């Protein structure tokens, strides 16, 4: 509690004590309160030395995946790295303006960090997106990776080869990039979990996609949001 706040509390407490003592004195003078009524009673007031911290309340917000405008295609990517076993994986999917799946894939990656896995997933996704000859909207839940792609820095030495590939994609593609919270990137998150368990890349179209992936895509087509706390 700061000094001014402490003084304010102390003033209010002193005022209450003064009013109480005045009431007792007046009651004794008119005979309504006698000494035997309050014999042994001790008035005590504890003034806190500091403010009790307030617990922060959880804030809930809705995260909604949004389709791109025509003629853009949206590429959602995700990458993961497991430090315990050194495995890395990537997941990507491309959807059109209606939210319809065009192609999705999951693959194992050779990476040494989560950041490198995220950047590699973006690279592989853009390689596939380039074949569709449309403007590409790259979206991912890796804020640091997005900032690297948008900026002019090359990052640490172990990611610079991948950064060169991404720079070439920026040169040859009509590309925009955005960050989305993980709750809005659930489809790519599902794919990356599959990529961690694969020994080779696996590709799906809209008909052959896994059931869980189809369910997520359908919900996002309907505009159903996810809750982030």
């Amino acid at each position: 509690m700061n000094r001014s706040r402490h003084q304010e509390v102390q003033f209010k407490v002193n005022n209450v004590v003064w009013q109480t003592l005045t009431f007792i004195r007046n009651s004794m003078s008119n005979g309504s309160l006698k000494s035997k009524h309050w014999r042994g009673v001790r008035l005590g007031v504890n003034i806190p030395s500091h403010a009790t911290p307030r617990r922060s309340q959880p804030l809930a917000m809705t995260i909604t995946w949004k389709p791109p405008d025509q003629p853009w295609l949206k590429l959602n990517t995700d990458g993961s790295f497991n430090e315990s076993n050194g495995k890395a994986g990537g997941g990507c999917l491309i959807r059109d303006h209606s939210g319809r799946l065009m192609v999705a894939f999951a693959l194992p990656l050779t990476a040494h960090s989560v950041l490198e896995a995220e950047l590699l997933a973006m690279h592989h996704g853009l390689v596939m997106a380039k074949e569709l000859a449309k403007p590409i909207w790259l979206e991912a839940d890796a804020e640091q990776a997005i900032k690297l792609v948008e900026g002019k820095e090359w990052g640490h030495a172990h990611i610079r080869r991948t950064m060169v590939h991404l720079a070439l994609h920026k040169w040859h593609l009509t590309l925009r990039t955005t960050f989305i919270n993980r709750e809005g990137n659930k489809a790519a998150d599902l794919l990356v979990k599959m990529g961690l368990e694969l020994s080779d890349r696996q590709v799906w179209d809209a008909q052959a996609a896994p059931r869980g992936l189809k369910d997520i895509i359908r919900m996002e087509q309907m505009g159903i949001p996810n809750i982030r706390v």
Side-chain angles (χ1 to χ4, degrees), residues 1-81:
M1 182 182 294
N2 57 42
R3 184 178 180 83
S4 60
R5 178 59 179 164
H6 182 79
Q7 289 174 338
E8 180 184 352
V9 171
Q10 190 170 17
F11 173 79
K12 290 181 179 180
V13 170
N14 290 341
N15 189 45
V16 171
V17 172
W18 179 82
Q19 291 178 358
T20 302
L21 293 175
T22 301
F23 171 78
I24 293 173
R25 184 186 61 189
N26 293 337
S27 298
M28 291 180 66
S29 63
N30 61 29
S32 62
L33 182 64
K34 301 182 184 299
S35 59
K36 65 178 182 180
H37 293 145
W38 56 282
R39 185 179 298 134
V41 175
R42 303 179 64 182
L43 295 176
V45 178
N46 292 323
I47 302 175
S49 59
H50 60 277
T52 303
R54 296 178 62 186
R55 294 185 179 181
S56 59
Q57 298 297 318
L59 301 177
M61 59 186 297
T62 58
I63 306 296
T64 305
W65 181 87
K66 296 181 180 179
D69 296 327
Q70 287 186 307
W72 290 77
L73 301 176
K74 181 172 274 192
L75 166 66
N76 283 85
T77 69
D78 198 5
S80 182
F81 174 73

Side-chain angles (χ1 to χ4, degrees), residues 12 38 140 153-154 220-221:
K12 290 181 179 180
W38 56 282
E153 299 294 330
W154 292 98
E220 292 181 340
Q221 273 185 307

